[in-house]
Amino acid sequence: MPTVALPDRPPFAIRARLLSPLASGGTLHEADGLVAVDGDGSLSFVGAAGAAPPDLVAGAVDVRPWIVMPGLIDTHAHLPQLPNAGLGFALDLLTWLDRLTFPTERSWADPAVATRLAPAIFRAFAAVGTTTVLAYGVVYEAAMEAAFLAAEAHGIRAILGKVMMDRVTYDPTIEPGTILNRSLREAADLIGRWHGAADGRLGYAVTPRFAVSCTAEMLRESASLARSTGSWWQTHVSEDPGEIAEVARLFPGARDYVDVYDRAGGLGERSVLAHAIHLSDRELARLVETRTRVSHCPASNLFIGAGVMPLARWLEAGVVVGLGSDVSGGPDPSLFSVMRAGAYAQMARRALTDEDRPPLEPHAWLRLGTLDGARVLGLEDRIGSLEVGKEADVIVVDPGMTAPLSGAGAAPDLDPGLLDDPGALVSRLIFRAHPDMVRGAWVRGEKLEGAS
Ligand SMILES: [Zn+2]
């Protein structure tokens, strides 16, 4: 195991095995590679160490046999819910919200709670290799201010939004009839302070929770706010049969669930809809047509029992899909664990339905958690892969921790032949992910606290 200290800030170079999806398709795999980060935190060299300028090689921190990979991109999570991770198995969605989630979010009415917890929450994401997170917060502006301050100080790339709810809200202090205007005003305040802050590392997503807890007016006004400010817009769609029935009851004039958001002006390439499991052909076509993004959260979907997305069909139709932990609908912030849950779920779907599309390979899951996540956010020209010119959002992973005998007192037994097969290596990282295998995480070359 390398004993060298990992670099804290740019410029630096790391010599390691490199593994990354490529924008042009395919995978970069370099057994003895080198990445160099320039003083601005961008990747200035990615490739074989033997092809790197000698001064870079001489100054590089050698972490072999560890792997440098792009940082993971979580396109759907709920910040305040992290302490609940692992609780509420198999409660249906609406019961789960009432019993577990809303009481937890209500505790952030005291901004001191957010100030105390948010730094640890961002460290928890970094610890599992997540360098970018698109997340929901709570309905309280002061708590969101604290969350943004924590993200700014931590260094993670974060797009956050104050949750908007004007139909069923958990905040008893808000007078009915004033919620819409107050919620829009507070979101606009936060956008003014935080959207594009930290040199573009922080962003704002206007966040109406979902159609069950928002009136048509709030959905429409929130979408308009996102458009006029260049913010993202995020919500949930078509997760659970009970929720879908409730939306049909609340919006009798809409053709279907997606149409509720369509009529509000909420679809488009800056919109990220979480789940999107039970879509009709019409809804699917409309998401493709409007280039609306989807966050696939398979671990959450299995944990709550919402269903199994026909992922292969959605991808074939041309939907831009990334991965989301949906903590704490999902029990684990690690996207490696989300990839594993997704892969199992797709195999179960193949066994139980007549779908005959081939299962996604491990590389495809890694791409969903990195470069495709960047596409969901429209940030694929800046992050998501190890390619020269991109910002250095990278992680270092110790593959020895995935070895079957490493926890049994034997030396890590990764077979060198296995390491030379990138497909086998990614398979090990996904199906035998270890909670501590991420040894370092950087955003723009600045090391994040949490990974060790
Ligand atoms: Zn969610």
Side-chain angles (χ1 to χ4, degrees):
M1 181 194 304
T3 53
V4 291
L6 293 171
D8 286 327
R9 60 185 60 83
F12 62 81
I14 296 181
R15 187 168 181 174
R17 182 176 295 273
L18 309 184
L19 192 58
S20 172
L22 293 169
S24 56
T27 301
L28 165 76
H29 176 241
E30 198 64 66
D32 180 9
L34 186 138
V35 291
V37 181
D38 67 19
D40 295 330
S42 294
L43 293 168
S44 56
F45 181 89
V46 176
D55 59 319
L56 279 185
V57 178
V61 177
D62 189 348
V63 302
R64 290 173 296 167
W66 291 356
I67 309 166
V68 171
M69 302 167 58
L72 301 172
I73 298 176
D74 188 342
T75 58
H76 185 70
H78 295 263
L79 294 185
Q81 296 176 23
L82 250 82
N84 285 348
L87 307 181
F89 175 69
L91 287 182
D92 70 279
L93 174 64
L94 301 181
T95 310
W96 173 85
L97 284 170
D98 256 359
R99 247 189 242 170
L100 268 177
T101 307
F102 289 168
T104 299
E105 294 192 12
R106 201 179 299 122
S107 72
W108 284 40
D110 176 0
V113 175
T115 301
R116 181 166 56 81
L117 292 179
I121 288 167
F122 292 123
R123 287 198 296 274
F125 280 114
V128 293
T130 294
T131 53
T132 296
V133 64
L134 169 64
Y136 293 46
V138 291
V139 299
Y140 308 106
E141 182 182 8
M144 292 315 296
E145 183 72 16
F148 271 112
L149 283 166
E152 182 183 42
H154 177 258
I156 194 168
R157 196 181 293 272
I159 302 165
L160 311 177
K162 186 185 95 76
V163 171
M164 306 169 90
M165 306 162 73
D166 68 339
R167 198 199 294 274
V168 182
T169 183
Y170 52 74
D171 181 359
T173 68
I174 297 183
E175 291 189 19
T178 66
I179 301 179
L180 175 63
N181 286 338
R182 174 169 160 184
S183 192
L184 289 166
R185 190 182 64 242
E186 291 177 346
D189 285 352
L190 288 163
I191 290 169
R193 287 197 291 277
W194 293 107
H195 185 57
D199 226 357
R201 177 166 61 77
L202 302 177
Y204 195 86
V206 180
T207 307
R209 185 172 211 117
F210 66 153
V212 172
S213 54
C214 296
T215 61
E217 197 182 6
M218 174 161 272
L219 293 172
R220 193 174 59 244
E221 293 298 325
S222 67
S224 158
L225 177 65
R227 251 194 325 277
S228 66
T229 54
S231 313
W232 283 268
W233 191 80
Q234 61 175 346
T235 192
H236 300 85
V237 74
S238 199
E239 176 178 2
D240 167 279
E243 166 215 16
I244 295 166
E246 182 64 1
V247 170
R249 189 183 71 77
L250 292 168
F251 296 87
R255 280 193 275 192
D256 46 44
Y257 201 157
V258 165
D259 194 43
V260 172
Y261 297 143
D262 204 352
R263 287 169 184 230
L267 304 185
E269 36 184 43
R270 296 283 275 180
S271 296
V272 182
L273 305 187
H275 305 305
I277 301 172
H278 311 280
L279 301 177
S280 66
D281 289 349
R282 195 208 76 82
E283 290 177 295
L284 178 65
R286 193 63 191 134
L287 293 186
V288 172
E289 196 174 27
T290 55
R291 302 183 53 76
T292 303
R293 290 4 192 187
V294 164
S295 177
H296 176 38
C297 309
S300 165
N301 301 154
L302 292 179
F303 191 77
I304 292 184
V308 177
M309 176 198 269
L311 174 64
R313 202 146 68 77
W314 281 196
L315 292 174
E316 208 173 276
V319 187
V320 180
V321 178
L323 294 182
S325 66
D326 193 25
V327 174
S328 66
D332 189 344
S334 167
L335 283 192
F336 289 110
S337 125
V338 170
M339 293 172 201
R340 182 168 66 242
Y344 287 147
Q346 293 305 314
M347 291 306 267
R349 195 177 167 87
R350 280 165 51 80
L352 299 172
T353 70
D354 55 5
E355 273 193 21
D356 57 357
R357 292 165 178 82
L360 261 60
E361 293 190 3
H363 280 307
W365 284 103
L366 184 63
R367 177 176 284 265
L368 281 168
T370 54
L371 193 51
D372 287 343
R375 288 174 69 212
V376 163
L377 302 174
L379 297 176
E380 68 272 27
D381 57 337
R382 288 161 60 181
I383 55 173
S385 57
L386 302 179
E387 295 185 83
V388 168
K390 284 200 173 181
E391 298 180 19
D393 289 20
V394 301
I395 58 175
V396 165
V397 174
D398 176 359
M401 298 194 85
T402 70
L405 299 183
S406 66
D413 66 339
L414 273 180
D415 161 350
L418 174 75
L419 279 168
D420 287 336
D421 174 352
L425 186 55
V426 177
S427 187
R428 271 278 173 86
L429 296 179
I430 293 173
F431 292 100
R432 288 194 47 83
H434 187 288
D436 299 327
M437 71 184 186
V438 177
R439 300 290 197 170
W442 292 259
V443 167
R444 289 181 179 158
E446 301 280 347
K447 193 161 183 297
L448 303 181
E449 258 186 60
S452 59

